[in-house]
Amino acid sequence: MIRLRSKLGRFTISIIAPLLSFSGIIVFLSTPLAAQSRGVEEDPVEPLQGRPNLRMLSRPAGAVQRDAVDEKAMRELIGRLVACGTRNSLSSWADPKRGAGCGRDQIVARINEIANASGGKLQGVVDKFAATGPRTSDKPAHMENVYGILPGADPAMSKTVFIISGHFDSRASDVMDPSLDAPGADDDASGVAVSMECARLLSKKAADAGEPFRATLLFAAISGEEQGLLGSERMLDWVKEQGYTVGGMLDNDIVGSDAATSEPHRARLFSGSGDQDDNDSSSRELARTIEEIDGRQAVRLVFNIDRLGRGGDHYIFYKAGLPAVRFTEPLEDYRHQHQTPRTENDIEYGDQMKYLNFRFMGNVARNNAEALRQLALAPAPPTEVKLSGGVTPDAKLAWSSMEDPGRAGFEILWRETTESRWAVYDFVASGQESVLKGVSTDNHFFAVRAVGRNGARSIAVPTNTGRRLPPGK
């Protein structure tokens, strides 16, 4: 079918072709004839002389295996936390059988078990503090965080810390009522179980492996999340007090259920964009790094800071300009979050263990552990990464870095401005600059990351982070 159409005295020709036909109904798709005849126009190749011959180092050997995850231990820990009745941060910290203190005791006991099995490499810390907010009636409330610390072995990197966290406090429908039952199996005993299982897996790696972790790892179970992220605010202060620089923070919150059909599915990995034109905040780079380590089949990147109207402990670190992301299950069932256990109209509410999926949770634990393992083995990322070469044929990158005998070099990364993931353009074994001959500064985004001799990669550092300003600004 051909139709002539007049527009401002000129004729254009369109072809209307059948797309679908069923039940006597024909659906047509209209496509301009000129586009059909010429096809899609190709862009110039960058660079014209072809890409460099890449030297690609393999990722570090000794990956965490899925069958190494102890689902039974995760189930037992969650069961003990649920048995506390409630872990509301405003409940008792002294009662060994019910309340927040009961939850703390279960976590401390688990960390001690792991520490003993690691030959003392893991160190347990209970951090007591007072916090105030609207959900403490604006009065100081006693709270406690529990940390398991695996110190880094490299003097140059040991004050860089990678954190995994879950919050052990729970809540019922009324967050201000600590007397109500709040089992909190999924929100967030599941995240605590993942954090503690990562402590076990990586403490064992540190005890058994010939290559120790360069950076420090911190496995956290914190309180005060439901009272307004008070425990994560305290944890950030605490790591600063110890002289640490945060290399990355992995928040695991509501990671215990995967009830949709055809499971297991991927965990969602949330990251905020920051105030960037190109969505290249340090949190976004941490998310990309985790996906590259674990694979697209394991995590689903979600380019949002969190779910709509919700928040988690990573937010405190993100707002401080630090790389922080959140793991969360694929599809949440809100009947089993923030609900006092009850049955109404034959619908059961409450965050109970029976709704958990330990196969999925074990996947989450393995993927967190492997990401942390590689991050803790990697060299420090470069700093002051700059892009120049505007109004020239070549893109020029320069960066700074400290001396590091464990570093093999740097990978130059690039991507189309509409793409979400980096590709490796080149490898630079020495020096702190690279000229990308025949590559426009405007058609791509660029980044640099450090590569260890062991194959571990740092988080990528984009060039000229921030907004492009007009000339003279």
Side-chain angles (χ1 to χ4, degrees), residues 136-149:
T136 68
S137 300
D138 293 318
K139 297 177 181 179
H142 177 86
M143 298 190 187
E144 300 182 22
N145 291 343
V146 184
Y147 312 134
I149 302 165

Side-chain angles (χ1 to χ4, degrees), residues 371-391:
L372 288 166
R373 183 186 78 93
Q374 294 198 28
L375 288 167
L377 288 172
T383 59
E384 300 177 11
V385 182
K386 298 178 181 179
L387 172 68
S388 61
V391 202

Side-chain angles (χ1 to χ4, degrees), residues 100-123:
C102 171
R104 172 209 57 215
D105 292 346
Q106 311 312 314
I107 297 161
V108 169
R110 182 59 182 148
I111 286 179
N112 288 338
E113 291 172 357
I114 297 168
N116 291 336
S118 73
K121 289 187 176 295
L122 188 71
Q123 304 166 7

Side-chain angles (χ1 to χ4, degrees), residues 158-202:
S158 61
K159 281 300 182 180
T160 296
V161 63
F162 290 95
I163 302 169
I164 179 172
S165 179
H167 69 88
F168 70 88
D169 62 310
S170 63
R171 60 162 291 180
S173 302
D174 182 356
V175 69
M176 299 298 293
D177 189 345
S179 68
L180 298 173
D181 282 347
D186 196 7
D187 186 15
D188 183 34
S190 66
V192 172
V194 165
S195 180
M196 294 301 102
E197 180 60 11
C198 286
R200 186 191 70 83
L201 289 165
L202 296 179

Side-chain angles (χ1 to χ4, degrees), residues 217-339:
L217 290 167
L218 192 158
F219 310 93
I222 61 178
S223 63
E225 196 269 355
E226 304 291 5
Q227 263 57 47
L229 312 182
L230 301 178
S232 55
E233 186 172 16
R234 168 56 193 167
M235 179 165 61
L236 178 55
D237 289 341
W238 187 87
V239 297
K240 289 180 177 178
E241 291 170 4
Q242 310 308 308
Y244 290 115
T245 297
V246 178
M249 189 270 195
L250 283 59
D251 178 26
N252 281 259
D253 195 347
I254 310 178
V255 291
S257 180
D258 185 13
T261 57
S262 302
E263 54 86 21
H265 301 100
R266 299 179 295 173
R268 292 180 291 169
L269 184 60
F270 289 86
S271 64
S273 63
D275 186 21
Q276 313 298 331
D277 277 344
D278 48 14
N279 287 333
D280 279 334
S281 69
S282 62
S283 295
R284 188 60 47 79
E285 297 309 335
L286 176 58
R288 289 184 174 115
T289 299
I290 293 170
E291 186 202 49
E292 189 173 345
I293 291 171
D294 291 332
R296 296 189 195 183
Q297 77 285 351
V299 293
R300 176 184 180 180
L301 293 183
V302 181
F303 284 3
N304 278 315
I305 177 59
D306 211 323
R307 299 102 72 237
L308 183 63
R310 306 290 293 278
D313 288 317
H314 66 302
Y315 183 77
I316 296 296
F317 288 75
Y318 168 75
K319 292 301 290 184
L322 300 168
V325 297
R326 174 186 180 136
F327 284 83
T328 298
E329 62 198 30
L331 287 174
E332 298 170 74
D333 188 335
Y334 304 111
R335 297 171 297 181
H336 307 309
Q337 296 177 19
H338 297 186
Q339 297 286 343

